[in-house]
Amino acid sequence: MDKFIEIIRQSNIPDALKNIADKVLNEQRIEFEEGVLLFEQGELAFLGVLANYIRERKNGSYVYFNRNFHVEPTNFCVFDCKFCSYSRLLREKTDAWELSEDEILNIIKGYDGKPVTEVHIVGGVHPKMGLYYFAELIRKIKEIRPEIHVKAFTAVELEYMCRKAKLSYAEGLSILKKNGQDSLPGGGAEIFDEQIRNEICADKCSTSQWLEIHETAHQLGMPSNATILYGHIENYEHRIDHMNRLRELQDKTGGFNAFIPLKFRNKDNQMSHIPEVSIVEDLKNYAVSRIFMDNFNHIKAYWPMIGRNTAQLSLSYG
């Protein structure tokens, strides 16, 4: 790595980027304007060197994964996010499903004897599947497989569940935890900028609600992940603003396990007219995330959304 550091210092890149590199090497925090500058002026090779340096400093040559499986109880949803290709409104029937409790438990039983460590439960927001329904479901899952880690329900799902049950976030999460829920996924964050959020997913939980739910979970001893939806109508300042709000909450609670950039895909949704960003942009986003989010140990490449090849490449970009 020393030779790469020397190359950076002797290269013709702008002094502002060299200053950022020096801060990285001295383990100093990158500020908001510097994060935007990395996106705007940082070439991919430069960003990759810095991001990989940080990754190796944090985790050596190790890459982590878990053996999990997904349960999606329903894709019916009361919300209408413009970027979503997955959900169906309650009046729709095409490509829609609603699993029964027995069907869900049979999925769990189907993994008997297999070396999985986690079940990931997320889906559409269905008015008939409330907090107490899911608390009982988790209890039954733990009866079938006591050792399995249950990661369940985005903040969007949780906000709706608690509101319908007339419970605070702390009360609702405590019930779920008591029945066996171990952690939260990071979905539903999308973009925190309120104006952009209002354009692409106006009717679901707000930025402040998302952050409050995750902070509450952390206070209750339930860790979580965090996500960002990038590559649509947002700009680089919106991305750094999003990362900065997560970084501030992580400073406060230390409860986030991983940050997961999610690429906007334009198939079969209301934003299909927006072109998808390139693989170069994907890798740049991973690299800047690693450089800026200094208090997150793990940046996760979600291969079902970016493909296996890009996921492999991302290992060299943070």
Side-chain angles (χ1 to χ4, degrees):
M1 182 54 68
D2 289 343
K3 67 178 181 180
F4 291 117
I5 295 169
E6 195 58 33
I7 289 171
I8 288 172
R9 287 175 172 163
Q10 293 181 9
S11 66
N12 293 322
I13 63 174
D15 288 342
L17 291 178
K18 288 184 180 180
N19 290 339
I20 293 174
D22 280 333
K23 291 180 77 170
V24 167
L25 299 173
N26 290 297
E27 300 188 47
Q28 297 174 356
R29 174 160 282 186
I30 304 304
E31 301 303 326
F32 184 97
E33 294 77 11
E34 294 170 320
V36 176
L37 186 68
L38 287 172
F39 269 124
E40 292 178 343
Q41 297 188 22
E43 293 186 2
L44 186 59
F46 168 78
L47 296 174
V49 168
L50 289 185
N52 194 57
Y53 174 81
I54 296 169
R55 183 191 64 78
E56 290 185 347
R57 188 170 66 199
K58 283 181 176 289
N59 298 313
S61 59
Y62 291 97
V63 174
Y64 299 89
F65 66 95
N66 64 355
R67 288 175 170 156
N68 72 356
F69 64 98
H70 285 226
V71 173
E72 299 170 349
T74 183
N75 68 339
F76 283 120
C77 192
V78 299
F79 299 124
D80 185 25
C81 301
K82 289 181 169 54
F83 54 82
C84 187
S85 308
Y86 167 86
S87 68
R88 297 292 180 269
L89 297 175
L90 295 176
R91 65 177 178 271
E92 296 182 89
K93 300 300 180 183
T94 305
D95 298 324
W97 72 84
E98 179 183 339
L99 300 181
S100 68
E101 182 182 274
D102 285 342
E103 288 174 318
I104 294 171
L105 295 178
N106 284 335
I107 293 173
I108 305 298
K109 294 172 184 175
Y111 284 87
D112 284 351
K114 297 181 181 179
V116 293
T117 59
E118 175 187 281
V119 56
H120 184 155
I121 307 172
V122 293
V125 179
H126 196 302
K128 294 180 181 178
M129 294 179 172
L131 187 138
Y132 295 106
Y133 169 84
F134 281 120
E136 180 68 8
L137 178 67
I138 292 172
R139 185 186 66 78
K140 291 179 179 179
I141 289 172
K142 288 285 189 168
E143 286 179 352
I144 295 169
R145 195 151 185 173
E147 81 287 353
I148 202 162
H149 182 102
V150 177
K151 180 171 68 181
F153 315 125
T154 67
V156 177
E157 294 168 88
L158 290 165
E159 184 278 327
Y160 186 83
M161 286 185 209
C162 291
R163 174 157 48 93
K164 290 279 285 186
K166 296 182 171 56
L167 297 172
S168 69
Y169 300 145
E171 290 169 334
L173 285 166
S174 294
I175 290 170
L176 293 169
K177 183 181 180 184
K178 181 179 178 180
N179 281 275
Q181 183 169 334
D182 298 292
S183 67
L184 277 61
E190 322 313 357
I191 282 286
F192 287 152
D193 179 84
E194 284 78 5
Q195 182 175 344
I196 299 295
R197 195 176 188 84
N198 190 55
E199 291 185 45
I200 65 174
C201 53
D203 59 346
K204 71 181 183 184
C205 82
S206 67
T207 294
S208 60
Q209 289 170 326
W210 192 100
L211 292 167
E212 183 182 353
I213 287 169
H214 281 260
E215 181 175 354
T216 302
H218 298 171
Q219 291 169 344
L220 293 172
M222 300 173 72
S224 67
N225 291 332
T227 62
I228 183 174
L229 181 70
Y230 71 93
H232 44 94
I233 63 171
E234 91 289 358
N235 61 35
Y236 290 144
E237 289 191 357
H238 296 139
R239 292 191 205 176
I240 293 297
D241 169 67
H242 185 101
M243 294 180 197
N244 193 53
R245 298 196 208 196
L246 290 171
R247 193 172 72 172
E248 289 176 348
L249 182 53
Q250 181 75 329
D251 279 341
K252 186 175 182 180
T253 68
F256 286 116
N257 286 330
F259 177 59
I260 312 169
L262 301 176
K263 180 176 184 172
F264 165 71
R265 308 311 298 254
N266 63 7
K267 184 179 179 181
D268 298 329
N269 58 45
Q270 298 171 64
M271 296 170 66
S272 295
H273 59 285
I274 297 173
E276 296 177 3
V277 298
S278 67
I279 293 175
V280 170
E281 188 66 28
D282 296 334
L283 297 175
K284 176 185 284 191
N285 197 66
Y286 277 108
V288 174
S289 299
R290 173 61 83 184
I291 296 165
F292 189 82
M293 305 190 76
D294 55 8
N295 53 5
F296 278 70
N297 284 333
H298 303 290
I299 308 296
K300 179 178 178 179
Y302 185 55
W303 70 262
M305 189 163 277
I306 59 173
R308 291 181 184 271
N309 291 337
T310 305
Q312 289 176 317
L313 281 172
S314 74
L315 300 180
S316 296
Y317 292 85

